[in-house]
Amino acid sequence: MSELIHQLGLDWKLLASQGVNFLILLASLTFLVYKPLIKITEERRKKIELGLAGAEEAEKRLKQIDVLKEEKLAEADKGAIKIIGEAEKKGSKRFEEILKNAESRADEVMVEATRVAEQKKQEELNRLTEKANALIKEAIVKMVELDPKYIDDKLISRAAEVIRKKA
Amino acid sequence: MHEISLRAEEVFHIGSWPVTNALLLAIVSLLVLLSLGLAIKRKINLIPGKIQSIFELLLEQILKFMDSVLGDRRLSEKYLPLIATIFLFIMTSNWLGLFPFVGPVGLNLEHDGEHSFIPLFRAPASDLNFTIALAVISLISINLLGIFAIGFKNHFSKFFNTHKPFPVISFVGLLEFLSEFVKIVSFSFRLFGNVFAGEVLLLIVGFLVPYLVPLPFLFLEVFVGFIQAFIFSMLTLVFVAMAVKHEAH
């Protein structure tokens, strides 16, 4: 047996050396490679998961915002239509009021103008009457001054001449 | 062609502690992996660099294999250091054993008036001390992980129990216990046999036809180096998976 062990080169010191060699490598690689790499891989996985979840959440919120925007736009449209309708109603009402006021004012102006025209006409008439009176009076004075035999034609023509000039 | 030796040659001594050429290359493998580990640790970042990406890819593949056996990513991450280190260490040492400086580079020593050539490096797995040490560590780890996972009593009740039918189950348990020691032999001799045979094959082919012909054999040994590391680590993983699960009787 010992010859076989010798031939195979078995030696407990070499066994121990090889064993220690392996254990050093095991401990070193565990500390230097496996644990840090597993940790960093896990960290990376978490970050990717977080990023994906964030992106999904952002997409979800974006969709919600889109829906909200559509709703708000629809509401705004409805509001705008309502406001425009009300404005149109108010406008037409105001237009009618303004029209009514204008008509009433026009009537008043017309009445006033008619009154003023009437008054002016009356004044003119009075003035004409006064002038006519003065002319007639003047004509009578002239008539009294003239010879009756010439009175007819001359008187008439002079009276007409005076009236034409005064008019 | 230097002499084919079943045992690793002693290169020098540290006190009474022998240092063989297989142990030297195992230390070189350790240093190579440690350097890579330090490089990764120094540049580790959330956005990975080239070395980190390669290691992450490698570890992810190992974890996927472990998931298929253990069925739980948490457990896979827990046992990753043992399985991945076994895989990386065996694969690296096997591949380093294929480098041109392994074998031809050596020392001419005088021993009892006789000159002998001793290679400075030798594939670690072509030395039984390396494979047995790994097998023993693997078996101890399997049993320790089993004890931590399901408790001392539950773990050893797989081997020593009085369940009915009493003599049959107890005998099967004893066989299971013996098979734990047989595992050491099967683990170590499988790896040793494959790598040693590969070394001998390359040596003979290289001696007979030095140009071009050894090339396919070299590629074959690259594949064997990988597959033997894979088998050793996967068997360890399977035994760990069996040990950490409590079987109801």
Side-chain angles (χ1 to χ4, degrees):
Chain A
M1 188 67 180
S2 63
E3 181 59 27
L4 178 67
I5 289 171
H6 179 73
Q7 284 299 321
L8 292 173
L10 294 176
D11 183 346
W12 71 268
K13 286 176 181 172
L14 287 171
L15 274 172
S17 303
Q18 295 283 16
V20 168
N21 205 10
F22 176 77
L23 292 176
I24 290 169
L25 185 66
L26 176 64
S28 308
L29 288 186
T30 304
F31 173 71
L32 294 172
V33 180
Y34 306 132
K35 282 190 175 173
L37 277 187
I38 286 173
K39 195 180 162 190
I40 207 106
T41 311
E42 182 66 21
E43 203 176 312
R44 193 184 301 141
R45 193 182 61 79
K46 277 183 184 168
K47 283 212 171 186
I48 290 168
E49 275 179 4
L50 201 70
L52 286 175
E56 208 173 303
E57 181 67 28
E59 204 175 330
K60 205 173 154 185
R61 283 193 184 176
L62 205 63
K63 276 182 185 171
Q64 283 176 348
I65 287 167
D66 278 345
V67 171
L68 204 67
K69 190 182 83 181
E70 292 298 323
E71 283 175 6
K72 290 283 176 193
L73 279 175
E75 270 180 32
D77 277 349
K78 277 181 189 173
I81 290 165
K82 198 178 167 185
I83 288 166
I84 290 167
E86 281 175 4
E88 276 178 354
K89 274 183 191 173
K90 277 184 185 175
S92 64
K93 200 177 168 184
R94 183 83 185 128
F95 175 73
E96 278 170 17
E97 277 176 14
I98 290 166
L99 198 63
K100 206 174 169 183
N101 287 344
E103 278 174 356
S104 147
R105 181 81 185 127
D107 286 347
E108 282 174 12
V109 168
M110 279 299 286
V111 169
E112 181 67 18
T114 310
R115 191 187 60 79
V116 168
E118 198 66 35
Q119 193 180 350
K120 279 192 175 174
K121 192 179 170 185
Q122 194 60 45
E123 280 172 3
E124 194 64 26
L125 197 62
N126 291 342
R127 196 168 56 86
L128 278 173
T129 309
E130 278 174 16
K131 275 188 178 177
N133 287 344
L135 281 173
I136 290 164
K137 194 179 175 180
E138 203 176 330
I140 290 167
V141 169
K142 295 280 181 182
M143 216 163 53
V144 172
E145 285 176 355
L146 286 174
D147 188 1
K149 61 178 178 182
Y150 301 109
I151 208 159
D152 294 337
D153 293 334
K154 270 195 174 179
L155 188 64
I156 291 163
S157 61
R158 282 179 70 180
E161 184 67 24
V162 169
I163 289 165
R164 197 179 53 85
K165 282 181 181 174
K166 295 286 180 184
Chain B
M1 188 175 82
H2 65 83
E3 190 187 339
I4 296 168
S5 164
L6 204 58
R7 51 183 295 172
E9 294 93 345
E10 284 179 21
V11 181
F12 58 91
H13 283 83
I14 300 173
S16 65
W17 214 263
V19 178
T20 60
N21 44 15
L23 181 60
L24 266 183
L25 198 60
I27 292 169
V28 172
S29 305
L30 167 78
L31 293 176
V32 167
L33 287 171
L34 272 184
S35 311
L36 281 172
L38 280 169
I40 289 166
K41 174 76 176 172
R42 201 178 302 141
K43 290 185 178 178
I44 201 156
N45 202 340
L46 205 60
I47 301 159
K50 283 176 187 171
I51 302 174
Q52 190 183 333
S53 296
I54 292 166
F55 255 78
E56 278 187 13
L57 186 71
L58 182 68
L59 289 188
E60 188 56 36
Q61 291 306 316
I62 295 173
L63 279 170
K64 270 185 187 172
F65 269 114
M66 292 179 72
D67 287 345
S68 66
V69 176
L70 293 165
D72 185 356
R73 179 47 71 103
R74 196 181 50 82
L75 280 178
S76 302
E77 285 177 358
K78 190 177 173 184
Y79 303 130
L80 174 76
L82 177 71
I83 306 302
T85 308
I86 288 174
F87 175 72
L88 289 174
F89 192 36
I90 294 176
M91 193 173 71
T92 310
S93 57
N94 284 351
W95 284 357
L96 280 177
L98 298 174
F99 273 74
F101 61 84
V102 178
V105 178
L107 307 168
N108 275 312
L109 296 178
E110 197 177 328
H111 220 58
D112 299 331
E114 281 183 27
H115 285 279
S116 59
F117 175 77
I118 295 174
L120 195 59
F121 298 109
R122 174 185 170 130
S126 66
D127 175 18
L128 265 175
N129 292 300
F130 175 82
T131 58
I132 290 176
L134 282 189
V136 169
I137 287 172
S138 173
L139 260 291
I140 291 173
S141 304
I142 289 164
N143 284 287
L144 281 177
L145 292 173
I147 290 167
F148 291 140
I150 60 173
F152 185 86
K153 196 180 164 188
N154 284 329
H155 180 68
F156 280 99
S157 70
K158 291 174 185 172
F159 309 123
F160 309 107
N161 61 62
T162 53
H163 295 296
K164 284 181 182 176
F166 171 62
V168 178
I169 295 296
S170 298
F171 184 66
V172 170
L174 275 175
L175 285 180
E176 285 282 333
F177 186 67
L178 278 176
S179 78
E180 290 295 301
F181 295 98
V182 175
K183 275 176 196 167
I184 295 174
V185 179
S186 84
F187 267 52
S188 54
F189 276 83
R190 182 189 301 110
L191 182 58
F192 167 75
N194 277 286
V195 176
F196 184 73
E199 275 221 328
V200 173
L201 177 72
L202 282 178
L203 194 68
I204 291 170
V205 171
F207 177 71
L208 294 174
V209 193
Y211 300 108
L212 287 175
V213 177
L215 207 61
F217 294 99
L218 206 61
F219 283 123
L220 178 74
E221 284 311 306
V222 171
F223 179 68
V224 168
F226 163 77
I227 211 75
Q228 286 305 315
F230 182 75
I231 288 170
F232 200 109
S233 53
M234 281 302 117
L235 279 175
T236 307
L237 173 65
V238 170
F239 291 134
V240 167
M242 285 162 69
V244 297
K245 281 175 190 164
H246 185 230
E247 289 171 14
H249 290 283

